[in-house]
Amino acid sequence: MKSLRPWLQSALLAAGSVVFLFPLWWMVVVSLETPKRAGAAMTGQDGVALWPADPQWGNYAEALAEMGSEPWVGFVNALANSIVVTTLVVIGTVLSSSLVGFAFARLRWRGRGALFTLMLATMMLPGQVTLIPLFLLFRGLGWIDTILPLAVPAFFGNAFFIFMYRQFIVQVPESLVEAAKVDGHGWIGIWWTVILPLCRPVTAICAVFTFIGTWNDFMGPLVYLHAEEQSTLAVALNSFRNQYGGLDDVHLLMAASLVTMLPCILLFIAAQRQFVEGLARGAVKG
Amino acid sequence: MAEVILKSVGKVYPGGVRAVQGVDLHVRHGEFIVLVGPSGCGKSTTLRMVAGLEEISEGTISIGGRVVNDIAPSDRDIAMVFQNYALYPHMTVGRNMAFGLERRRRHGSLLRSLLSPAYAAERRAESARIQARVDEAAGLLGLRPLLQRMPRELSGGQRQRVAVGRAIVRDPAVFLFDEPLSNLDAKLRGEMRTELRILHRRLGATMMYVTHDQEEAMGLADRIVVMKDGLVQQIGSPSELYDRPVNRFVAGFIGTPTMNFVEGDVERDGNGLALRWAGGRITLPAGITLVTARAAIGIRPDTLVPVADGPFRGTVQSIEFLGDRADVLVESSGARLNARVPTDSARAMREGESITLGMPSIVHVFDGEGQRAE
Amino acid sequence: MLRDGRTSLGSWLRRGAIAIVGLVIAWAFLHVAVREWNRSGGMDGRTELVVMHWSGDGGQEEDQIVDASLRAFESANPGIRVRRVNPGDAGSFYTKLMTMLAAGEPPDVFYVGNERVPSFADIGLIRPLEPFLDADRAANDPTAIDLADFYPATVDAFRFDGTASGRGALYGIPKDFTTVGFYLNLDLFERAGVSVPGNDWTWDDFIAAARTIGQLPDATGSEFVTWAAMLRAYLMTEGVDVKGADFDELTIEDPRAVAALERLRAWRHDEDNTLTSGKSKIATGSSVFLSGKVGMAGPFGRWVVPSYRKIPPAGEPGGFRWDFRPLPRGAVASNIVLTVSWSIASRSKHPDQAWKLVKWMTDDRSQRDLAKLGLAIPTRKGAAMGPEFSDPTQEPANDAGYLLAAERAQVVEWPVNPQFESLFASTMDAALKTGTISVREAIDTFLRDWTSESQSPLAKADLAPMPWRGLAMAGLAALAAATAWFIWWMRSSKGSSAHRAEERAGWLLASPWVIGFLAFMAFPVVMSLVLSLARWKGVSTLEEAEFAGLANYERLLTDDARLRTSLRVTLYYALIAVPLGQAIALGAAMLMNLKVRGIALWRAAWYLPSVLAGVGVSVLWRWVFDADGGLMNRMLGGIIGGMDAVLSWFGAGPTGLVPPEWFEADAAIWGAPAFAIMSFWFMGGTMMVYLAGLQQVPIDLHEAASIDGAGRLRRFVSVTLPMLSPVILFNVIMAVIGSFQVFTQAFVMTGGDPNNLTRFYVLYLYNQAFEFYEMGYASAMAWLLLAMVLVLTVVLMRTSSRFVHHEGAPR
């Protein structure tokens, strides 16, 4: 690839970017159109719209205001719920996954190998297998209609991220851990003061992936939360789709979708560098 | 008294691999002791058992009169300097050095310090004490300007110094060094060696030091422990080891360039004994007893000199000039001999020419099992 | 990481951003905390009724009207508090209802569509209402419901006699209904010179009009949807229904039915422009009419009216006049009612209050309020005649047409097994919409599948209840034994105290995962294994599960055509998506590995789609693959046009290629690939992993290879690929697992249509679990999936060891 001509490199990169970004841009365009033109753009009646002829910024306010039954309340509630759930899940996943990953990477204990294999195997378990029994479990605990079923499991680690942390921590020089032992730290202390700060690249990936996954999670909130005031943005958006799914409301749907996706986009842009670095250093070894 | 006493210490890894066995060692207070040997000889394992990083399978280790077998590393009153320095990459040099002390302070809660002014004051005082100690150690090692830097911004030598500084701050009874200089280039290694020596004198602390480099060991140690295959070969001062190696291994390991060995059959020679090999025959020093049929003599290269007539006749293979001395490799029938001679006499030689080397005054004799014969 | 002297504008911006994010999070926690505090404080002595409904086509207005009605009910009944749940559309509603039922906490009062009555009543989910009616009558209650006030067909729709709907006990009070018919674009009728038919028109009138309008430039005669209910309505106008005496004895082979279906097929496939081609998934259904290029669209109910009312008046751009005509007559004049009731859960703890609420929500005033939406017809004749529904100021002018049809409408009966509808719809789709098989074949397939479905031992046999008590005991015993063993095992540890302390610490640190695994994985998995041996309708309680042995697996492996189709579709998808996806991702990663200025930005751009997921994106892609005007086909059309132009330049004929109809006629070939193409858009994650792998290939290896005279291709084949092989294996395994779990896209974009050609395995599993409520069967499917994924992974690992280059990686 090195000897590709520079212009060809740039052309390929640019063409790819157009392919990858155009649908998104199209969403932006449609979200800013009038209902009539948005519908036409979707069905291709007037060719491909590349630029909103007359940007209707009001679409956004309208779309957000109409989420849920009372103006704005639905959106504000859903936003707060999403933030709370996502924050808890991210914190829980990072803490528990790094702790368990540390145990798998650096401590010597019988059963470690078997448990690690078991954990890798669980990654293959289709979520469909556990959905109904889990629901029965959470009902038994009285957690339905609270955010607990969404947040609590995160504090018990996630196999994929445990794996990533483990792969990363294995590469941390053993002597750092030993130095900390000589310095008088217990295992928890070593994890907190040495391992966790060192794992920043993995933590960045873990946090971003978890954030995006939780933010976009749809099935969980749908199943566990009944009351409208409890719903997260993904569920609110789906109700919105069901209510505004027609062609004449497609501009509102796109506006609401974009607002919902915005935090993911911003987060990605902010974390992009650490993200790539982390993937390079942790995720693919072994 | 910070003595370290190892009694029949052994290490058996799960799976039965025996890394160390039967090590008896008495490290005296204030002594600088160096464990040396080829890689895999068990020297690091021994040190790590002292540190508490490796379980002790057999025997006991006591530090300062206290058996430490079941004591956590942090409670053994030791400090360790690692080969790769093990500096916490996410902490400044200052925090790295203070880290071992801070941990004790951390047990107090923030809440408590908010509620109790006395406690808060105590914490502040503790903090100041730690800072003072870090500053003192930094001064000792010339690290003061680096305290705010991150480890990745330091050179190898500076990192090494920080690692030592971190150990000093802890003010331990015993310093443990695990090949601390092996990641440095040769020049820096020499400088640091001197500094460590000075440091040892100033601190007067007990130090145990592991290296595979016998020169380093010779330069640093009060006493050297030579190990091989998990067994202690010899313990002694550098000069003892140099002058009276107990076996061929120690003899070959200690000293640069490596000792020459000439093997042959033992013959009776009047009252004494002689050694005959393909290229010649020499009479062994009087008073030596040998029970084996084969034996070897060891000759330090710097004791070989070119002479008109001598037992070793051969061809010069190569000449390497080192400055005031030169290493000359001589191929004698049945033996390759390395001689370190003054440059002047080397200048007279030509590669490919014949040469005769004389019998030195000191030869070491080893029996067929490699043990020193006297 | 900030360092001294580097405090720049950027770092201030970053600090500001962090502060803002912190504040937002703090606000969110505060907001939720305050709300929860109020909620827990808000408990009072009132009886709480949970009410669940949907607001699909009615949108927010319906939501608000229901809410207002409920508030009014609360003020009128101070002792009752109502908690309202509205999951959105009917699909989400039923999913939600299912899970609430499975949890044993059904809402007290909820919507039920008449097609669901048999399955819900059969498992005793909903309560018969006659006792309430009788009690009211006996007590001379002024609010008593007189069923005579309702259109009879709408009431009958909620009766069920134990085998089929239409007669027997009453399970719901209908709130509104619709009859079906066609919506006419009057402007096109005028342009084509076709006279507008009356309410009593015939199929001959219909097809004549469609043909004439189809002759107009850029116009199509009619849209004719082939939904199961609509097809049955169509057959009923020929005096024949699918159901004979009961659902074991179908009459679909009746010559009249076959002829009618064949006629419908011929209209669509043997003529041009008479019926819409069924080309576009999106432009079927009601929205195709909005384009103004279709003469008629139907059969639809009243529910399309709110969106059609947004059609601009004639003369404005995109505007035209339109009206409604009920279903044409064939041999007989007939119509159907589609209706929704308010029903009461059998397990409601407050049946009397619930009944009060049902009466309130179905009374004349509530119905009139709802009728203002224009979405449906009040079931009370009086309300239907009122100005709220028959609003002369608004289109359609022919409100009377719906009511006229109501007088002669029949109830479409549905069997207990909800699979009937989906089997019927998908086989008929294949014949009538995609035209891939003949009508005869479709009928045969349908009969065969339905017989196997309805006659299987799972459907018929009497089974013993699940031995839950024994299972629970066994489970507890196993748990106790495992705990005891674990304690013994931990104590048996040899070695020094330090060693044992480390061992304990290891288990302690790993305990979050161990506990989580036991609670959130092991228990549910075992539970689902147990369920896979059961016949259990997910909507009933667990106690009602019956022990079926291996019957689920037996049926799964021997007797489920749809399962085989779904497996084929999934494998087809995997065969395309995995290798191509990996190649594209690897190529992209190599581009991303270039040392070009601003490469970070390019990477971000290429990766960005991967962080986007969810409903909005899926909706977007549905439009991208639209056969008519979708972005993809417009692009392909452009490319083909370009190729044709080049060819004609050389004097050759055109390529003759046309862009595929992804999810319609060409779905057998192009359906799964469409999803594969879409998946390439989300290949950013894989690309990043490859990029990371590429960056770990030591540069000296490349240099050494170039010194050895290896060209670029050689270097790629003999350096890059071998060094990358562990990463490739990792990605391939992940991709294979992922390809077996395609769900959301298919669920949102096609729902498995047409003719199951996009029904991926997990989608089918979901259908079984959440649409047919066959939890036992679905659990067995999940276990089959697990087995397949496992086997594939092991095979991949084993066969790959020869190709994968392993450096002594730490393990």
Side-chain angles (χ1 to χ4, degrees), chain C residues 146-197:
Chain C
D146 183 357
L147 293 176
D149 295 342
F150 291 73
Y151 284 98
T154 63
V155 177
D156 291 343
F158 293 96
R159 295 188 184 278
F160 178 70
D161 65 358
T163 52
S165 57
R167 55 186 181 269
L170 184 67
Y171 285 94
I173 303 298
K175 71 177 183 79
D176 56 13
F177 78 109
T178 182
T179 49
V180 301
F182 284 87
Y183 290 80
L184 278 52
N185 182 330
L186 299 178
D187 285 7
L188 283 181
F189 270 76
E190 195 176 299
R191 265 174 60 202
V194 182
S195 60
V196 178

Side-chain angles (χ1 to χ4, degrees), chain C residues 41-364:
Chain C
M43 284 297 172
D44 50 31
R46 292 188 289 172
T47 306
E48 189 185 68
L49 286 180
V50 179
V51 173
M52 190 152 92
H53 69 108
W54 70 73
S55 56
D57 292 295
Q60 203 167 17
E61 286 172 77
E62 179 168 358
D63 188 89
Q64 279 161 5
I65 289 172
V66 174
D67 191 53
S69 272
L70 290 174
R71 296 300 146 233
F73 175 75
E74 277 184 330
S75 0
N77 297 276
I80 305 177
R81 196 155 55 89
V82 177
R83 192 149 67 83
R84 189 174 66 92
V85 182
N86 176 10
D89 66 338
S92 312
F93 169 90
Y94 284 119
T95 304
K96 183 107 194 162
L97 182 64
M98 215 290 306
T99 50
M100 289 172 82
L101 285 167
E105 290 180 341
D108 298 278
V109 179
F110 48 93
Y111 278 13
V112 174
N114 66 305
E115 77 284 358
R116 304 268 174 168
V117 169
S119 49
F120 283 5
D122 187 53
I123 54 170
L125 157 62
I126 42 182
R127 194 180 274 264
L129 300 179
E130 268 91 359
F132 297 108
L133 290 167
D134 295 345
D136 279 359
R137 242 195 322 275
N140 272 326
D141 189 323
T143 64
I145 287 180
D146 183 357
L147 293 176
D149 295 342
F150 291 73
Y151 284 98
T154 63
V155 177
D156 291 343
F158 293 96
R159 295 188 184 278
F160 178 70
D161 65 358
T163 52
S165 57
R167 55 186 181 269
L170 184 67
Y171 285 94
I173 303 298
K175 71 177 183 79
D176 56 13
F177 78 109
T178 182
T179 49
V180 301
F182 284 87
Y183 290 80
L184 278 52
N185 182 330
L186 299 178
D187 285 7
L188 283 181
F189 270 76
E190 195 176 299
R191 265 174 60 202
V194 182
S195 60
V196 178
N199 284 335
D200 209 29
W201 60 329
T202 64
W203 286 111
D204 293 337
D205 298 336
F206 166 82
I207 201 62
R211 284 174 182 146
T212 315
I213 292 169
Q215 300 305 312
L216 290 174
D218 195 26
T220 309
S222 179
E223 159 75 2
F224 198 127
V225 294
T226 53
W227 304 335
M230 298 311 173
L231 282 180
R232 289 182 66 187
Y234 169 67
L235 292 178
M236 283 171 174
T237 63
E238 298 298 342
V240 54
D241 188 13
V242 176
K243 168 184 174 280
D246 59 32
F247 281 95
D248 289 340
E249 215 174 287
L250 301 184
T251 55
I252 190 164
E253 288 180 290
D254 186 300
R256 287 172 295 169
V258 177
L261 292 172
E262 178 54 33
R263 191 175 57 183
L264 182 53
R265 191 204 63 79
W267 286 344
R268 188 190 302 278
H269 291 285
D270 299 349
E271 301 178 23
D272 280 339
N273 282 341
T274 302
L275 296 190
T276 53
S277 68
K279 253 188 179 181
S280 141
K281 166 75 180 169
I282 299 93
T284 50
S286 55
S287 59
V288 71
F289 189 67
L290 298 169
S291 68
K293 294 171 182 169
V294 181
M296 294 173 280
F300 296 134
R302 177 78 185 190
W303 64 81
V304 296
V305 165
S307 63
Y308 287 6
R309 277 182 179 162
K310 293 183 188 162
I311 295 171
E316 284 185 22
F320 54 87
R321 291 173 299 125
W322 57 277
D323 203 355
F324 171 80
R325 291 293 177 271
L327 213 56
R329 64 155 70 232
V332 294
S334 174
N335 211 312
I336 58 169
V337 293
L338 301 172
T339 168
V340 174
S341 72
W342 284 105
S343 296
I344 301 175
S346 304
R347 270 186 281 159
S348 168
K349 292 185 197 78
H350 314 288
D352 293 327
Q353 287 89 336
W355 173 244
K356 239 184 210 173
L357 185 84
V358 168
K359 284 192 289 184
W360 179 276
M361 297 306 284
T362 55
D363 72 3
D364 191 75

Side-chain angles (χ1 to χ4, degrees), chain C residues 419-436:
Chain C
Q419 311 225 29
F420 181 87
E421 182 181 354
S422 90
L423 279 176
F424 185 68
S426 64
T427 45
M428 289 303 136
D429 248 15
L432 301 176
K433 195 164 155 199
T434 49
T436 44

Side-chain angles (χ1 to χ4, degrees), chain A residues 2-282:
Chain A
K2 226 174 218 140
S3 46
L4 277 186
R5 304 233 163 77
W7 67 265
L8 189 57
Q9 294 176 355
S10 306
L12 273 171
L13 288 169
S17 302
V18 168
V19 170
F20 281 105
L21 293 183
F22 185 75
L24 193 64
W25 172 244
W26 204 36
M27 283 183 86
V28 175
V29 172
V30 171
S31 75
L32 288 171
E33 290 282 13
T34 58
K36 185 80 200 136
R37 276 204 310 272
M42 275 298 193
T43 50
Q45 284 164 15
D46 304 334
V48 183
L50 291 178
W51 196 259
D54 175 20
Q56 308 285 310
W57 295 104
N59 287 353
Y60 281 82
E62 190 182 346
L64 299 187
E66 293 189 8
M67 267 190 184
S69 32
E70 286 167 74
W72 288 102
V73 173
F75 172 69
V76 168
N77 262 328
L79 181 67
N81 291 333
S82 274
I83 292 173
V84 168
V85 169
T86 309
T87 308
L88 288 175
V89 170
V90 167
I91 291 174
T93 307
V94 166
L95 291 183
S96 58
S97 300
S98 59
L99 185 70
V100 178
F102 177 50
F104 277 125
R106 273 283 168 257
L107 277 77
R108 278 157 296 188
W109 39 288
R110 287 187 306 159
R112 180 177 77 162
L115 273 193
F116 192 65
T117 313
L118 181 66
M119 191 196 71
L120 293 183
T122 62
M123 282 199 256
M124 282 179 261
L125 186 74
Q128 291 77 13
V129 180
T130 56
L131 185 63
I132 289 294
L134 273 183
F135 187 84
L136 295 173
L137 176 72
F138 290 134
R139 175 184 59 124
L141 295 170
W143 288 3
I144 299 304
D145 236 0
T146 71
I147 60 169
L148 294 176
L150 303 176
V152 169
F155 286 83
F156 293 91
N158 169 301
F160 181 68
F161 297 121
I162 292 174
F163 174 72
M164 275 177 66
Y165 271 109
R166 187 254 175 206
Q167 298 303 85
F168 189 86
I169 295 170
V170 156
Q171 298 171 54
V172 169
E174 177 97 45
S175 59
L176 275 182
V177 175
E178 292 177 339
K181 262 196 237 173
V182 173
D183 280 344
H185 285 272
W187 291 108
I188 300 275
I190 294 173
W191 164 71
W192 179 251
T193 48
V194 179
I195 296 297
L196 208 49
L198 284 178
C199 285
R200 273 174 66 125
V202 188
T203 301
I205 298 181
C206 177
V208 172
F209 275 171
T210 310
F211 180 96
I212 289 166
T214 314
W215 191 264
N216 289 329
D217 180 29
F218 170 57
M219 206 60 188
L222 181 74
V223 169
Y224 297 125
L225 304 175
H226 298 162
E228 186 196 293
E229 58 176 16
Q230 298 276 343
S231 80
T232 60
L233 267 181
V235 175
L237 182 69
N238 190 55
S239 323
F240 189 86
R241 170 185 75 110
N242 294 326
Q243 294 176 17
Y244 294 85
L247 210 46
D248 39 350
D249 287 318
V250 77
H251 60 301
L252 296 184
L253 178 59
M254 290 300 149
S257 302
L258 278 169
V259 172
T260 310
M261 293 194 287
L262 194 63
C264 293
I265 299 177
L266 290 180
L267 178 72
F268 172 70
I269 292 171
Q272 198 262 136
R273 239 188 43 226
Q274 284 212 320
F275 201 63
V276 179
E277 184 202 0
L279 277 173
R281 286 172 57 183

Side-chain angles (χ1 to χ4, degrees), chain C residues 576-588:
Chain C
I576 297 170
V578 175
L580 269 182
Q582 298 303 308
I584 291 176
L586 180 54

